[in-house]
Amino acid sequence: MWDGRLAEIPSIHHGDLTQENFSKNLFKYGVVVINGIESTAEATETLCKQLIPVHDTFFGQFWTFSNEANENEPVYEDTAYGNEEIGPHTDGTYFNQTPGIQVFHCLKPAKNGGETILVDSFHCASILKESDPESFEVLASTKIEHHYLEGTPSGSVLNTVSHEKPVIELDSYRNITQIRYNPYDRAPYRCLGKEEDAREAIRFYKAYEKFSRICHDPSNSVQISLQPGSVIFIDNFRVLHSRAEFQGHRQMCGCYLSRDNFYAKARPFLPEEIRRYV
Ligand SMILES: [Fe+2]
């Protein structure tokens, strides 16, 4: 696990890229950058598909998007399509099958701003466990709802929803296996009207706020300015991403990749004693 003292985000030049060094870096840090890629959507898609099969969603297999959409770029009612600041989060919390790996390639950087900020949420959860074990337990045991609402001329339509998923998912050995953290897509906490339920809701919100403060603490994050030619791969079960506000036209492309299929390819390169447990 890492915090803001991570000296630099691991990177590999395309000429040195192998399945082994890609797999080891993404497994160890939850993030890796591949440099020296032609700055086109086509070259990015080819690179991704060479490494890991795509995780398809209703957004499509591969996307090009910007804050000034044209006829080739579909527009969704999502914060990604604007230019305002987006705080740290994981993507796709509203899917029952959360996308495993997030890929971004900045084809056209903004005039100002737009930096990407990354946070190791496993580290943040371990800080919470140490400093406030009760809040950690609340987030590991409270199953909540996330949803994706798509705007239409007649109002919002519920597109995708996931139920009963905790913010901190643990395995039977109490290891953290996944963080689902996205305040933008979290559905209202369902309170059924009994006093006991209300107390539970308040307990959840207090724990969520404590975890949020740790995730937003600058000492836990690293910053990178994405540039044409550099493709970043982020473990969406572990590393939160956020974006600073920006000015000017900024164009991105990217996709989700399958985490199961990443591990299918990475497993031979991981230490034998842990292959069965990741
Ligand atoms: Fe995102």
Side-chain angles (χ1 to χ4, degrees):
M1 292 190 281
W2 49 263
D3 60 16
R5 290 169 294 184
L6 182 71
E8 61 181 308
I9 293 169
S11 64
I12 304 167
H13 193 271
H14 187 234
D16 303 321
L17 177 66
T18 63
Q19 195 76 41
E20 180 171 357
N21 59 18
F22 171 76
S23 300
K24 284 181 170 172
N25 276 291
L26 189 53
F27 171 70
K28 185 172 178 183
Y29 297 100
V31 57
V32 62
V33 173
I34 300 179
N35 295 317
I37 304 299
E38 189 191 324
S39 56
T40 62
E42 294 73 22
T44 313
E45 188 172 5
T46 302
L47 170 74
C48 292
K49 288 181 171 170
Q50 268 168 6
L51 289 164
I52 315 169
V54 165
H55 178 120
D56 199 1
T57 69
F58 66 82
F59 290 112
Q61 290 206 355
F62 194 88
W63 351 281
T64 302
F65 62 98
S66 74
N67 57 318
E68 293 172 16
N70 59 46
E71 68 277 8
N72 300 317
E73 297 172 356
V75 178
Y76 292 95
E77 192 87 359
D78 192 281
T79 45
Y81 297 81
N83 69 339
E84 69 273 35
E85 180 189 348
I86 308 174
H89 64 278
T90 56
D91 267 29
T93 47
Y94 40 73
F95 290 121
N96 286 306
Q97 293 169 295
T98 317
I101 292 152
Q102 166 104 62
V103 183
F104 290 124
H105 187 178
C106 181
L107 301 176
K108 185 178 187 308
K111 206 167 126 210
N112 298 304
E115 293 83 4
T116 298
I117 295 137
L118 302 168
V119 179
D120 185 349
S121 67
F122 284 19
H123 174 66
C124 296
S126 70
I127 293 175
L128 183 68
K129 190 178 180 182
E130 192 73 19
S131 60
D132 186 347
E134 198 185 320
S135 290
F136 180 89
E137 284 309 318
V138 168
L139 295 186
S141 59
T142 309
K143 294 176 175 177
I144 62 163
E145 187 177 318
H146 290 86
H147 62 198
Y148 177 79
L149 303 171
E150 184 66 51
T152 69
S154 53
S156 285
V157 171
L158 178 63
N159 191 320
T160 308
V161 61
S162 78
H163 300 280
E164 304 206 353
K165 307 282 189 201
V167 174
I168 300 173
E169 187 154 318
L170 303 175
D171 66 14
S172 310
Y173 305 97
R174 314 262 318 147
N175 296 310
I176 302 166
T177 55
Q178 181 179 355
I179 298 291
R180 291 182 190 83
Y181 178 76
N182 194 322
Y184 306 98
D185 294 326
R186 194 169 47 77
Y189 196 97
R190 288 184 189 278
C191 220
L192 301 177
K194 291 185 236 149
E195 203 178 320
E196 194 183 303
D197 295 329
R199 268 199 291 269
E200 199 183 285
I202 292 166
R203 212 168 29 236
F204 169 78
Y205 279 121
K206 284 187 170 168
Y208 198 75
E209 185 186 352
K210 284 187 175 165
F211 184 54
S212 295
R213 287 189 188 283
I214 298 169
C215 294
H216 283 79
D217 183 338
S219 70
N220 291 324
S221 65
V222 293
Q223 188 172 305
I224 181 172
S225 186
L226 299 177
Q227 296 298 327
S230 297
V231 183
I232 190 165
F233 294 75
I234 303 167
D235 181 345
N236 190 49
F237 280 29
R238 171 181 166 191
V239 175
L240 313 178
H241 59 282
S242 70
R243 181 193 70 196
E245 186 190 359
F246 65 90
Q247 288 79 43
H249 180 218
R250 181 180 192 247
Q251 189 185 40
M252 306 283 289
C253 69
C255 62
Y256 297 129
L257 302 174
S258 154
R259 206 163 182 276
D260 273 337
N261 287 322
F262 164 64
Y263 276 111
K265 288 192 162 191
R267 222 164 245 116
F269 307 114
L270 302 181
E272 206 172 331
E273 63 277 12
I274 60 168
R275 279 180 202 167
R276 179 160 291 279
Y277 302 103
V278 294

